[in-house]
Amino acid sequence: MFALALLSSLASPANAAIEALEPISTPVEVVEEAAPEDDSLAQLPETATNGEAGSQACDNPRRTWIEIPSKTSIHMPANWAGASFKDGPGGTMVVKVEKSGKINREVSVGGEVEVSGIVAKAKVSISAKVGTEVGVSVGHEYRRNVTSGKYGHLQYGSWGYSVKWAKYETSADRCGKKLIKSGTAKLPSSEVGWRYWETSS
């Protein structure tokens, strides 16, 4: 009985020491990536500085997000042999895709890390057909009459978009948004086809 009591008294300090060594978790503020369709923070005023959190702090969530302030419809060419033709003067052009391949997105320097966010935002705010790349298969044929005396040009590609994008974060006081980086991107869509134009020579 005495031995058991002695062992119990010896074990207690050791257990207390182990418990004292366990790390104490402290709350950490997590900066979340906003969902592409969440535009509530986009309405915040832009600030040049990160601001100070104080008595005037707002209750907006701490997040980073992508905005696309402008877009332009473009034709992204398939830049390989068998996807571009010129003929004339006059007559009729009959062409078809002779080689398969992929048309990839083009992002300005420094924007590669944000590609997935840019595309996700574009899918919601521009078109669900936008992506990072589109495949081109062999065989799409097209016929076009060329104006007399002119030369016809046919270029196969994707009807995509040229966009300006910006990445923001909530300011420290949560009352505004601060620009982290911005740039441009060309995004292909699943809509592919021929672009035609004429020249004098």
Side-chain angles (χ1 to χ4, degrees):
M1 196 71 158
F2 173 74
L4 286 174
L6 180 60
L7 286 173
S8 177
S9 65
L10 288 173
S12 297
N15 288 339
I18 291 172
E19 289 174 3
L21 291 176
E22 289 181 1
I24 299 172
S25 60
T26 55
V28 176
E29 187 176 31
V30 177
V31 178
E32 302 174 1
E33 182 115 10
E37 65 276 7
D38 182 6
D39 287 330
S40 58
L41 298 178
Q43 310 307 317
L44 294 175
E46 188 171 338
T47 176
T49 63
N50 216 7
E52 293 292 335
S55 58
Q56 299 299 315
C58 303
D59 61 356
N60 293 303
R62 285 279 292 141
R63 286 184 179 165
T64 62
W65 68 94
I66 299 285
E67 293 182 21
I68 298 181
S70 69
K71 70 180 189 300
T72 305
S73 297
I74 60 169
H75 188 260
M76 296 181 67
N79 290 318
W80 59 77
S84 179
F85 300 89
K86 175 184 177 181
D87 207 352
T92 300
M93 295 182 70
V94 181
V95 300
K96 70 176 180 178
V97 179
E98 297 178 339
K99 183 179 178 181
S100 62
K102 291 182 179 179
I103 301 172
N104 295 304
R105 83 284 184 275
E106 300 172 21
V107 181
S108 55
V109 176
E112 286 297 325
V113 176
E114 283 74 31
V115 168
S116 61
I118 295 168
V119 172
K121 183 63 179 177
K123 280 183 175 293
V124 173
S125 61
I126 300 176
S127 171
K129 296 178 180 179
V130 170
T132 57
E133 65 178 27
V134 60
V136 172
S137 57
V138 174
H140 188 170
E141 191 171 295
Y142 187 72
R143 176 185 295 266
R144 179 77 187 227
N145 292 327
V146 183
T147 303
S148 178
K150 298 288 187 179
Y151 287 84
H153 301 259
L154 279 166
Q155 171 70 63
Y156 201 76
S158 166
W159 298 101
Y161 296 89
S162 175
V163 303
K164 290 183 179 180
W165 60 270
K167 185 173 184 179
Y168 288 96
E169 66 179 3
T170 317
S171 58
D173 60 10
R174 303 190 185 191
C175 295
K177 61 182 181 182
K178 181 185 177 185
L179 180 66
I180 301 174
K181 61 170 67 174
S182 62
T184 60
K186 293 181 180 179
L187 306 175
S189 80
S190 57
E191 294 182 333
V192 294
W194 294 97
R195 173 176 172 260
Y196 177 80
W197 70 99
E198 294 182 346
T199 59
S200 298
S201 59

